[in-house]
Amino acid sequence: MNKKKLDKIKKKLRETSVGIAGLGGLGSNVAVSLARAGIDRLVLVDFDKVEKKNLDRQYYFLNQVGKLKVEALKENIGKIDPEVTVETFGLKLEKDSMEKPFQSVDVVIEALDDAKTKADFIEEIMLKLPDKPIVAASGTAGYGHSDRIVTRCCGNLYLCYDEHAPSSEDDVLLAPRVGLMANWEANLALEILLGEDK
Amino acid sequence: MIEVNSRKVDWVENESVSELLKRMRYVFPLVVVKINDKLVPRKDFSTVIVPDNSRIAVIHMISGG
């Protein structure tokens, strides 16, 4: 292990914050991954409660069923690293005010479920916070086909993308592929925050 | 000539974003479109005209998360 490099990364991450919209299979796993990496502050936004059926891919536990996802995830992150500051917004992102919880973060992560909400959210962040890097994911459903996933960048939008993936409305969501894309998003966020790993 | 998702495509005078999407057979209902790195909101697809020599990124949003 290159301790000098690790110390430099940890020091830099202690000054950074990431906001996550949606705490399902993508968002809950992104949050945990970034907490383990040593991010200083996470802003978590989701209106939903943990359901038993979520446990097939989301970072919650059986005894948390019925709790607000923002609260349950804050609890889980606290068990991994109590030094991480977690700010929670247990609310539904509504059109025309979607950017509000994310004004002070360094990177915004789109981790929503429904395609229309994803497109609305990305549009609104890009229009209202044009300088803010946004990481999004599209094409999580199914299994296998890991190497169809690519990173697409245009301007401040960084996308974890499988354009041939089916919609989750007609297919399945399973832990391996959703987790892969969640960590892809977290990895992109690190690259944005730290600069390219040369 | 314009470039759509890195593909060279003929430029058509007075073509709107929605007409271009139709010509490209991009039938997905939920896309994010950027022209020369500038976002075009979906509500403006039928009124914004694609300029010659522009680079267009069309990103298809698929449900799942």
Side-chain angles (χ1 to χ4, degrees), chain A residues 16-32:
Chain A
T16 55
S17 57
V18 169
I20 305 175
L23 300 179
L26 287 171
S28 63
N29 287 298
V30 171
V32 167

Side-chain angles (χ1 to χ4, degrees), chain A residues 122-123 125-127 130 132-134 152-158, chain B residues 3-5 17 20-21 31-42 45 48 50-51 54-59:
Chain A
I122 294 170
E123 256 189 39
I125 296 292
M126 288 201 295
L127 286 173
K132 197 82 75 186
I134 171 163
R152 262 192 79 181
C153 302
C154 43
N156 261 337
L157 172 65
Y158 301 77
Chain B
E3 218 181 275
V4 185
N5 286 351
V17 172
L20 172 68
L21 293 176
V31 290
V32 172
V33 174
K34 293 184 97 178
I35 299 183
N36 297 330
D37 275 340
K38 195 165 176 286
L39 176 82
V40 182
R42 293 205 303 288
F45 280 5
V48 169
V50 179
S54 51
R55 266 181 313 110
I56 295 121
V58 181
I59 294 157

Side-chain angles (χ1 to χ4, degrees), chain A residues 9-20:
Chain A
I9 289 172
K10 294 279 179 192
K11 188 167 173 269
K12 173 73 187 157
L13 290 181
R14 281 292 169 219
E15 298 159 3
T16 55
S17 57
V18 169
I20 305 175

Side-chain angles (χ1 to χ4, degrees), chain A residues 22 24 54 80 95 125 131-133 137 151:
Chain A
N54 300 148
I80 296 166
K95 244 188 139 171
I125 296 292
D131 299 325
K132 197 82 75 186
T151 299

Side-chain angles (χ1 to χ4, degrees), chain A residues 57 113 115 119-120 123 126 138 140 152 154-155 159 161-162 166 168-169, chain B residues 5 30 32 34 37 39-42 57-65:
Chain A
R57 65 185 191 285
D113 186 22
D120 287 343
E123 256 189 39
M126 288 201 295
S138 177
T140 53
R152 262 192 79 181
C154 43
L159 194 73
Y161 195 38
D162 174 5
S168 61
E169 283 136 32
Chain B
N5 286 351
L30 293 154
V32 172
K34 293 184 97 178
D37 275 340
L39 176 82
V40 182
R42 293 205 303 288
V58 181
I59 294 157
H60 168 199
M61 298 315 295
I62 309 162
S63 285

